[in-house]
Amino acid sequence: MSGVHFRSHNILLQLKLVEAIKKAENIKIQHVWDMHLNLGELHLMRKMMVRKAIQDAKIPFTYVCGAGFAGYFAGNLLQMGTLISPREKVLIYGDGNFKVTIVDEDDLATYTIKTIVDPRTLNKTLYLRPPENVLSQKQLVDMWENFIGKKLEHITISRQDFLASMKGMDYAGQVGVGHFYHIFYEGALTNFEIGKEGEEASKLYPEVKYTRMNEYLKIYA
């Protein structure tokens, strides 16, 4: 029911949970919202439908969003289709300078659990933007090259060529390319200010010693 685009397309089954919660009347929703994007495609439109249903039902909620999971983004230096660290060459999206937030999944879980009984996050969005983990792809690649003591071959792909790579892909591949395009060519995880409807996790919970990516990458070195 998580609806992740490359495993299932069951997002709308979450509407059954919304109906059950409406009847129970004593449940708050902790909804992990994967990205702050404006993609006009079916995958995220379905997620928006679930989000609207939650708010229309006046169910107490906290949305958690705004970061890439380290397990998918960090060790592979943001390369699509692999979780293995590159040792020879790396694909750079555009100039590689757009910032992206990357968070260890354990830290994401810690922040999420803390919101459950925190009135400051009631009916708000918790954005994950710990300052030392807001990095450009080039910064992440530099960290990795320093760890392994080797300069990788950097292969730049323009936004036009990257979008063109969607041709002939299945649904999951097209959604993945769409996500990457908005993140790495438009900076969609960091190109907005957090407004009154949101809170930033590391500011709200400074006691959480979140994993920095220069520490996380040591797992792969």
Side-chain angles (χ1 to χ4, degrees):
M1 292 180 70
S2 68
V4 63
H5 69 273
F6 54 84
R7 293 198 188 117
S8 72
H9 312 303
N10 297 327
I11 297 168
L12 295 185
L13 288 178
Q14 294 177 19
L15 294 173
K16 295 184 180 295
L17 286 179
V18 174
E19 290 302 314
I21 290 168
K22 284 165 62 176
K23 292 177 182 179
E25 297 183 345
N26 61 351
I27 298 173
K28 175 186 175 183
I29 286 182
Q30 239 74 21
H31 189 196
V32 178
W33 192 255
D34 53 3
M35 296 175 188
H36 182 90
L37 298 176
N38 291 310
L39 286 171
E41 47 89 353
L42 187 60
H43 179 67
L44 287 181
M45 286 177 65
R46 286 172 173 169
K47 291 195 172 189
M48 290 299 295
M49 288 174 63
V50 174
R51 186 168 183 165
K52 185 176 186 302
I54 292 168
Q55 294 175 197
D56 287 349
K58 301 188 185 306
I59 297 169
F61 67 85
T62 300
Y63 300 128
V64 181
C65 76
F69 293 177
Y72 287 102
F73 275 20
N76 62 358
L77 305 184
L78 313 174
Q79 307 298 285
M80 293 190 69
T82 181
L83 299 179
I84 299 173
S85 304
R87 297 276 174 171
E88 300 298 331
K89 56 187 178 182
V90 60
L91 190 66
I92 302 294
Y93 306 112
D95 62 12
N97 288 323
F98 273 115
K99 299 286 187 176
V100 56
T101 305
I102 308 175
V103 178
D104 187 315
E105 289 85 342
D106 288 347
D107 296 335
L108 186 152
T110 298
Y111 287 128
T112 301
I113 292 298
K114 283 182 171 291
T115 68
I116 291 176
V117 293
D118 189 345
R120 296 175 296 175
T121 64
L122 182 62
N123 297 335
K124 286 191 173 185
T125 299
L126 183 75
Y127 291 97
L128 301 170
R129 202 179 285 181
E132 292 187 49
N133 284 10
V134 180
L135 303 166
S136 69
Q137 185 184 17
K138 281 192 173 180
Q139 287 176 310
L140 192 68
V141 171
D142 285 345
M143 287 181 186
W144 177 245
E145 290 174 336
N146 288 334
F147 278 134
I148 65 174
K150 178 182 179 179
K151 186 76 173 176
L152 304 180
E153 178 187 357
H154 292 197
I155 302 172
T156 300
I157 182 168
S158 69
R159 65 172 60 210
Q160 293 83 3
D161 288 343
F162 187 72
L163 284 176
S165 71
M166 296 176 73
K167 186 176 180 180
M169 285 187 175
D170 60 11
Y171 173 77
Q174 290 181 0
V175 174
V177 169
H179 283 354
F180 269 55
Y181 178 82
H182 283 271
I183 294 170
F184 300 116
Y185 291 94
E186 297 184 343
L189 293 183
T190 58
N191 66 359
F192 61 96
E193 297 295 327
I194 298 173
K196 294 181 180 179
E197 85 293 343
E199 300 285 352
E200 198 286 307
S202 64
K203 291 181 179 177
L204 208 57
Y205 307 113
E207 71 277 9
V208 175
K209 297 180 180 179
Y210 65 87
T211 303
R212 275 64 172 172
M213 286 302 103
N214 60 354
E215 301 167 354
Y216 187 87
L217 284 178
K218 292 178 183 178
I219 299 171
Y220 299 87

